[in-house]
Amino acid sequence: MAFRVGVLISGEGSNLQALLDTVHGRDGVEIACVASSRAGARGLERAADAGVETAVFAKAGHTDRDARDAALGNWLDDRRVDLVVLAGFMEILGGPFIRRFEGRLINVHPSLLPAFPGVRAIEQALDYGVKVSGVTVHFVDEGVDTGPVVLQEAFALPYARAVEEVEAMTHEIEHRLLPRAVRAIAAGRVRRDPSNPRVVRVDEPA
Ligand code: GRF
């Protein structure tokens, strides 16, 4: 039985593309479906090009956010996903959705959490003047980018750079780190420490 991954996007979908290129159809892992919060997102085309089923769950199409989240959750459950990946999903998901997928919902964030959670993380880091930045893949809990860290990777920012340049450096890491996290979870190599569930152990192959 394949390990089935649902990916949620809002825009470009370059992280989705990395998953399609390096994880999909390998080692028993399948990108089973892709949902966007926005019609016309470029990521929807990327999914369609790879033959992956897509749908749009815009808040405007539902009575409120909880109704949208419930419909999205039902759609993912109907597709029997084992893991839900937020890959540039730019909307807040409500508590009921997060509890429903607890432990099988991850996000990729363009900073070294807990520094610079929320939107415009790269701009926040540059404004602060940090000398090191990075990427975090974490389980999603009900806070804003506060869930247990699965993987992190840092890079040096020896002097102030243009946002676009740092975005490119960040993306390059994201496109490796997120697939690595998904592969590890799919292979059962990711465990929470029972004595401290914030601590996530990832066994990487030698
Ligand atoms: C990424 O930088 C990710 O960290 C953030 O949103 C961006 C999405 O980019 N959460 P893309 O849509 O995958 O190209």
Side-chain angles (χ1 to χ4, degrees):
M1 264 276 282
F3 184 91
R4 296 171 62 78
V5 179
V7 182
L8 307 190
I9 60 159
S10 297
E12 181 57 33
S14 69
N15 281 286
L16 165 67
Q17 189 69 57
L19 291 171
L20 290 168
D21 291 345
T22 66
V23 178
H24 184 49
R26 298 183 195 197
D27 300 324
V29 187
E30 232 183 82
I31 307 304
C33 52
V34 172
S36 172
S37 61
R38 216 167 49 74
R42 165 83 179 107
L44 290 170
E45 284 172 38
R46 296 177 188 268
D49 287 348
V52 172
E53 183 185 5
T54 64
V56 175
F57 287 86
K59 270 189 299 199
H62 300 269
T63 46
D64 56 19
R65 187 185 68 188
D66 283 349
R68 190 280 305 272
D69 288 4
L72 174 58
N74 291 342
W75 187 79
L76 291 164
D77 272 346
D78 285 348
R79 278 145 194 84
R80 295 173 282 106
V81 299
D82 299 291
L83 179 70
V84 178
V85 177
L86 307 184
F89 189 74
M90 298 310 286
E91 290 183 9
I92 302 281
L93 290 158
F97 183 94
I98 288 166
R99 288 192 292 276
R100 181 171 179 171
F101 291 97
E102 209 258 309
R104 48 195 189 107
L105 179 60
I106 62 171
N107 179 44
V108 58
H109 183 77
S111 78
L112 288 178
L113 291 170
F116 313 121
V119 292
R120 299 171 60 81
I122 294 172
E123 287 89 338
Q124 289 183 59
L126 282 174
D127 286 348
Y128 195 91
V130 296
K131 297 287 189 270
V132 174
S133 190
V135 172
T136 304
V137 177
H138 63 93
F139 284 110
V140 176
D141 68 9
E142 290 184 49
V144 176
D145 300 320
T146 53
V149 172
V150 180
L151 290 174
Q152 282 186 312
E153 190 175 320
F155 59 88
L157 275 182
Y159 56 88
R161 294 171 191 247
V163 176
E164 298 73 35
E165 201 182 332
V166 181
E167 261 168 11
M169 294 164 86
T170 306
H171 268 125
E172 196 193 313
I173 293 177
E174 288 180 341
H175 297 166
R176 276 186 283 113
L177 205 67
L178 183 61
R180 213 173 110 203
V182 171
R183 278 194 290 268
I185 292 170
R189 291 190 275 103
V190 174
R191 273 167 291 169
R192 309 277 279 273
D193 182 336
S195 65
N196 180 359
R198 276 220 62 92
V199 177
V200 177
R201 176 175 163 166
V202 182
D203 292 319
E204 301 274 18

